[in-house]
Amino acid sequence: MKKTFIVLSFAITLLMAYAAVPGPSSSGAPASHTGAPGEKTCGAVGCHDDNVINEGTASVSIEVGDGIKKYEAGQTYPIKIRITDADKLRFGFQITALNAQTQTNVGNFTITDTKRTQIVKNAYQLKERQYATYTFNGTDAVTKGIGEWFVNWTAPKNSTEPVTFYVGAVSANDDMSDKGDKVYTSSLTLNK
């Protein structure tokens, strides 16, 4: 009985030690934080809010397909979201696609990498907008200084308007808090 208690105590101690090891501390950005019209970013709403947005050393890019400038109705395109910031090991992002004139949701995102990305929606405002964001595992850099995610976007079958993709991204200092991190925004418009 005493031996079982010692083994059980040791196992519990190991589990507690493992749980205390630092790792990514977020499971995705809350919806409506891309900096799109009507939205704020994570740099202005109480999380990564101790630095000025778009001031820092990172760069953010959105690439649709192989760099297309026009989309075709009903077609599905791979989208790459990338943030680079030398020596950083943690990153995050959120993207939405809006009609460039009406600022309403356009098309549909689908997840191609469930380990690193997920879909979220806002239950309170801007409910019609769809967002792709990172997961808990998606905060890891793909290589030192680079955060990168892939999702698919399907254009609506009857769209004739330009679409603008808005992305908000975070370059994190990996100190297990949301302080000292930098927030960046970018957008890309495709014509029909």
Side-chain angles (χ1 to χ4, degrees):
M1 177 73 167
K2 188 175 181 180
K3 190 175 188 178
T4 302
F5 178 74
I6 292 171
V7 170
L8 186 58
S9 295
F10 181 71
I12 290 171
T13 302
L14 281 176
L15 284 173
M16 289 174 62
Y18 178 75
V21 173
S25 61
S26 181
S27 60
S32 306
H33 285 75
T34 65
E39 298 181 15
K40 295 189 178 187
T41 67
C42 289
V45 292
C47 45
H48 308 281
D49 61 356
D50 60 336
N51 286 300
V52 176
I53 295 169
N54 291 321
E55 285 193 6
T57 57
S59 66
V60 179
S61 63
I62 307 162
E63 185 176 308
V64 180
D66 59 357
I68 65 168
K69 302 295 180 208
K70 292 184 176 185
Y71 71 93
E72 292 184 35
Q75 293 296 312
T76 298
Y77 299 94
I79 296 183
K80 177 172 70 173
I81 302 97
R82 183 178 232 217
I83 181 170
T84 59
D85 199 357
D87 300 324
K88 299 293 183 189
L89 297 173
R90 295 264 180 248
F91 300 97
F93 86 101
Q94 185 174 94
I95 190 169
T96 194
L98 303 179
N99 178 299
Q101 274 78 41
T102 65
Q103 305 305 320
T104 55
N105 195 74
V106 175
N108 189 48
F109 288 108
T110 52
I111 298 303
T112 58
D113 181 357
T114 58
K115 283 186 146 188
R116 294 186 52 81
T117 58
Q118 63 183 318
I119 300 293
V120 295
K121 286 193 139 201
N122 195 328
Y124 306 106
Q125 59 181 355
L126 304 170
K127 294 179 192 179
E128 82 287 351
R129 292 185 184 179
Q130 182 191 46
Y131 303 89
T133 190
Y134 62 93
T135 63
F136 182 84
N137 291 324
T139 63
D140 292 332
V142 292
T143 188
K144 190 174 186 179
I146 299 174
E148 193 171 78
W149 305 268
F150 296 89
V151 296
N152 280 348
W153 177 75
T154 303
K157 292 182 179 175
N158 56 0
S159 179
T160 60
E161 302 292 328
V163 59
T164 301
F165 295 90
Y166 295 92
V167 68
V170 173
S171 174
N173 60 13
D174 200 19
D175 70 352
M176 298 306 293
S177 82
D178 57 10
K179 301 303 175 199
D181 301 337
K182 303 281 182 126
V183 176
Y184 302 87
T185 58
S186 186
S187 64
L188 172 70
T189 299
L190 298 181
N191 292 311
K192 171 70 175 85

